[in-house]
Amino acid sequence: MRVKNLFSVATGAFLVFLSLLACSIVLAEESDVISLTKDTFKTIVEPEKLILIEFFAPWCGHCKALAPEYEEAATALKAENIKLAKVDCTAETELCAEHEIKGYPTLKVFKDGKASEYNGGRKANLIISYMKKQALPARTAVNIENFDTFKDSDDKVVIGFFNADDQKEFNIFSQISEELRDDFVFGETGQKEVITKAEVKPPAVILYKKFDEGKNVLEGTFTKEELTSFIKKNALPLLAEIGQDNYASYVDSGLPLAFIFYDNDEQRTDLGKEIEPVAKEFKGKVNFVFIDATKFGQHADNINLKQTWPAFGISLPDENLKYPFNQSKEITTESIRDFVDKFVKGEITPSIKSEPIPEKNDDSVFVLVADNFESVVFNDTKDVLVEFYAPWCGHCKKLAPTYEKLGEVYKNVKDKILVAKMDSTENDLPPKAKFQIGGFPTIKLFKAGDNEIVDYSGDRSYESLVEFLDKNAHNKVDLESSTPEPSSSKEPAPTTTAVKDKHEEL
């Protein structure tokens, strides 16, 4: 009897296992994302006119966040006959190496087997919109039958209206449609019925959008720059949430960016009521965005704001200029209008964060801060080699002893060649520095005389740094005669002969 009961229990457990296994198979089959391997890649990808492929790793956090969005987009795009696929790079290492995958997730668009970079967002609606644009020609012919449907086919649709003698404007429109096709749906028409219905006089361009005023109209002759500016400036909402998916669009618009920091929904609503009138008044001059401080509060540091909320500040991303609103003042319609008005008129100077200028600065490597940067670096008499670093940067820490050694060797000729460093997390670059720091460490040589800037791109060895200075510095020095006798506590400095010996790159 006991054996029979045990058999029944075992049979029941086995049936449960089979049931779960069947469910897992069904769930796997329900995915609309195609899994690719080295053996199936070419046979599936090459016949497709258009397919999007995600190269991922199962342990990657960004890949996990993308997964449900990617699945949703794949399901929605089935109706458009656009397929989405994925490759697990931990299993298909050879395939991912073949496609030069260096990070996860990497998305690539394949058209007839040829790959191009995916430049869209990572939310389902953004993936859907981007891939629909890829399936369209750069411009769609618009007529009275498809006009209403076409102008409502995407969040942002650009239609050009032309007569036979508007060839110049048509050529410009055609060129812009090719350049911006990843971001906008473009249509063109010369049909009188459509022109009449749109109530425009050619040449004209209308940006139809599903937000704010619904459309923007550009009538009359235009240049390439004017059309590009018209589209980009009007394609952004009056007040919207900014995040990783749309930040580049705001930077690309070329307008100053005003950040409204909030940390709860009630605060966001109240700030919107105060600032919306100002955003309307300065539309086309400044873009206004909400930014969730619970997610992106650290961005306040980039505008020289304290991480206390609410907060407001304006930045010019291309120039790395920052204009923080005084956080001791209340954010009201009147206070923000006054601040933005003065900013637009050029009456506010940018905020430049700086550590105090050191009282003593006689170490082997000269310490630069924002407040002494221009006077030290932009001079006529000396070459200045500058390392821009971050204290937390591992590569910077590894370079430190080598750079200190370099500074020690050049210390006796610092009136001609000065070795310096600046903590870029605590010091802003002044406006005169027409560049930005993209990573750490970054090393640049500011030459004596004309102040030409030469980027260092060699390996991080002592020999390579000396070789770089020997080749590029305006002032020439004799290190053998200038290098002091080493003390017992310091490593002897190599001679100029030694630095010219062959060395291996890291």
Side-chain angles (χ1 to χ4, degrees), residues 225 228-236 246-258 282 284-288 314-320 343:
E225 291 73 23
T228 303
S229 177
F230 165 78
I231 294 172
K232 289 185 176 181
K233 287 181 179 179
N234 289 296
L236 298 169
N246 61 359
Y247 178 75
S249 297
Y250 280 96
V251 174
D252 198 36
S253 75
L255 291 179
L257 191 50
F282 290 94
K285 296 179 181 178
V286 179
N287 283 326
F288 290 74
I314 301 174
S315 76
L316 292 172
D318 285 339
E319 301 173 53
N320 201 29
F343 165 79

Side-chain angles (χ1 to χ4, degrees), residues 28-40:
E29 288 176 348
E30 284 179 353
S31 173
D32 291 315
V33 178
I34 304 167
S35 292
L36 300 173
T37 66
K38 182 185 176 184
D39 295 332
T40 62

